[in-house]
Amino acid sequence: MRKIHLISITDPLMFDLAKAIRARGHEVSASAQGASPELLRALEEQGIICYGEGWFPEKLTKDIYSIVLGSQVTADNPELRRGKELGLMLLSVPEFIYQCTKSKTRVVVAGSRGRRAIMSLMVAALSRQKWAFDYVTTSRVAQLENPLQFSFESLVALIEGDEHITSVLDSRSQLEFYRPHIAVVTNLIWDFSRDHETPEAFMKTYRYFSTSIEREGKLIYYGGDPVIAELVEAIRADITAIPFDKHPVVEHDGKTFLQTRYGEFEVRIPDSDFLVNVNAARLTCRQLGVKDADFYRAVSDFTLSMEL
C-alpha cells in the first residue's frame, strides 16, 4: 500500500481522483484551503485522511510515495515547500493520470468542440461490448458515474484532453503528458485565455501534443478544418493520420438513419456536429478492435434512449 497525498482537494478533479486512488487500495491524505464541512465529511466517509481546513506541512513524512498537486496550487504553498524539502515525488494531475495508465492503450480526445459527445459515443460502444476501460473526463458524460476511474484489469484508457496549463511546477499544457497511442482532434478554434494569449501559443500546444503521440500511433482528425491540416502535414512519418468528416444519412418517414455497408441504423441527431462526432468515435473504436457493425448498433441504441 502506497501513501499518496493530494494538495488542494477542492481543485478540479481532485476529490474524484482521491476516491479513485483510495479504491485501488492506497492510503490517501488530502488538504485544502477553504474546504467546507460537507467536503471534510465526504473525505472521512471515503476513508481519505484530512486534518481539517487549511495546510498541514508538518504532517508530511518521508514515507509518502508521491504528492499530487491541484492545478491551482501556488508556488508558496507550505505543503509544496515541505514536499520539496523532503525530496518527495511531486506530480501534476495529468502526470499522475499517465502513471496510472501507462500500461494501457491510451486514447486522448482533444480539440475545441465535440469532446464530450465523442467520449459518450465511445463509452456506449465499449460498454455494449462489455469491455473494461479506464477513463478521465473534464465534462459530464451521462453513462459514467464519476469523472474518472482506474482499474487493474482494463487494457484501454479514454482521456478527455484539456489544453490548460498543468500546474505551478510546469507551464506546459496538460495535453503534453498523456502520450496517446490514439489521438483524436475535432477542430481547433483559438479563444483568448490566460493559458493561450495568442493563436500561435494555442497552435504550439497542439504541435507539442502531436509530437507526444507514441511511436506507430494514430492521429484521427477532422478533415474539414484547415488549421488541423497544417498540423497533420508536420507529423512524424511513423504516425498514421486518419481524417473524418460527416457520416452519411438517409431519412424515411421522418426518421433519420445512418447509411452504412451493414444496412441502415436509426439515430436521433441532437445537434449539427453529431454526424461528424459519430465518425470520429467510429474510427477510434475501430482502432481499438470494435467492429463497425457493433459500433452502429451501440450508437443507435444510445441515441434513441439517452441524451447526448
Side-chain angles (χ1 to χ4, degrees):
M1 178 189 296
R2 291 174 174 173
K3 291 184 178 181
I4 299 173
H5 180 70
L6 283 67
I7 302 179
S8 199
I9 194 70
T10 55
D11 286 7
L13 274 184
M14 291 294 276
F15 178 66
D16 293 290
L17 183 61
K19 291 196 297 181
I21 298 170
R22 185 74 184 93
R24 294 188 70 165
H26 299 304
E27 181 179 315
V28 183
S29 58
S31 61
Q33 194 83 36
S36 66
E38 292 77 16
L39 176 58
L40 295 176
R41 282 197 297 272
L43 291 170
E44 183 178 3
E45 290 171 0
Q46 294 291 330
I48 298 166
I49 300 167
C50 187
Y51 299 103
E53 191 276 336
W55 313 118
F56 299 87
E58 70 280 2
K59 299 293 186 179
L60 300 185
T61 55
K62 277 188 170 292
D63 61 343
I64 292 176
Y65 179 76
S66 63
I67 292 178
V68 183
L69 304 177
S71 59
Q72 298 172 20
V73 174
T74 57
D76 61 351
N77 183 282
E79 292 188 353
L80 173 57
R81 289 203 304 264
R82 179 59 175 163
K84 289 180 177 179
E85 290 171 1
L86 293 173
L88 301 177
M89 183 190 304
L90 304 172
L91 300 173
S92 65
V93 172
E95 287 176 297
F96 188 82
I97 289 170
Y98 171 74
Q99 291 298 321
C100 291
T101 59
K102 64 182 179 180
S103 64
K104 306 171 189 292
T105 298
R106 292 176 301 284
V107 178
V108 179
V109 181
S112 303
R113 294 178 183 167
R115 298 193 312 246
R116 182 177 71 91
I118 293 169
M119 290 283 289
S120 295
L121 292 165
M122 292 179 61
V123 167
L126 296 182
S127 297
R128 195 177 196 275
Q129 297 299 301
K130 301 189 184 306
W131 284 18
F133 56 91
D134 290 1
Y135 59 84
V136 179
T137 65
T138 57
S139 54
R140 181 180 174 274
V141 175
Q143 314 98 298
L144 302 178
E145 184 177 350
N146 300 305
L148 54 85
Q149 175 178 288
F150 304 123
S151 62
F152 293 107
E153 68 274 11
S154 64
L155 301 177
V156 173
L158 308 181
I159 301 172
E160 183 181 356
D162 194 315
E163 304 104 350
H164 293 310
I165 297 302
T166 299
S167 74
V168 68
L169 294 181
D170 201 320
S171 60
R172 288 177 291 174
S173 161
Q174 297 178 26
L175 283 175
E176 296 180 45
F177 292 91
Y178 298 131
R179 296 171 58 180
H181 297 89
I182 304 170
V184 184
V185 182
T186 58
N187 59 358
L188 299 179
I189 302 174
W190 171 73
D191 187 15
F192 179 84
S193 71
R194 65 178 178 85
D195 295 329
H196 303 99
E197 295 183 352
T198 65
E200 291 74 20
F202 180 70
M203 282 304 299
K204 186 177 180 180
T205 288
Y206 275 91
R207 281 194 290 271
Y208 281 135
F209 176 55
S210 66
T211 62
S212 74
I213 298 173
E214 294 280 14
R215 288 201 61 79
E216 308 298 332
K218 307 293 192 299
L219 173 59
I220 299 173
Y221 68 97
Y222 176 47
D225 188 330
V227 178
I228 299 179
E230 294 180 18
L231 190 75
V232 172
E233 288 178 1
I235 63 170
R236 299 192 317 267
D238 64 282
I239 297 173
T240 302
I242 305 171
F244 61 85
D245 211 318
K246 285 187 176 181
H247 198 291
V249 295
V250 293
E251 292 190 5
H252 302 299
D253 301 323
K255 297 180 180 180
T256 303
F257 298 80
L258 296 176
Q259 192 174 32
T260 82
R261 61 184 294 189
Y262 306 100
E264 297 175 356
F265 294 84
E266 185 181 357
V267 291
R268 183 176 61 83
I269 299 180
D271 56 57
S272 59
D273 295 323
F274 173 77
L275 294 177
V276 174
N277 296 332
V278 162
N279 258 345
R282 176 180 65 87
L283 291 171
T284 307
C285 285
R286 180 192 286 178
Q287 298 303 315
L288 293 173
V290 178
K291 295 179 181 178
D292 281 0
D294 291 329
F295 174 82
Y296 288 129
R297 294 186 189 98
V299 169
S300 179
D301 292 345
F302 175 55
T303 60
L304 295 177
S305 62
M306 298 190 70
E307 180 180 351
L308 286 174

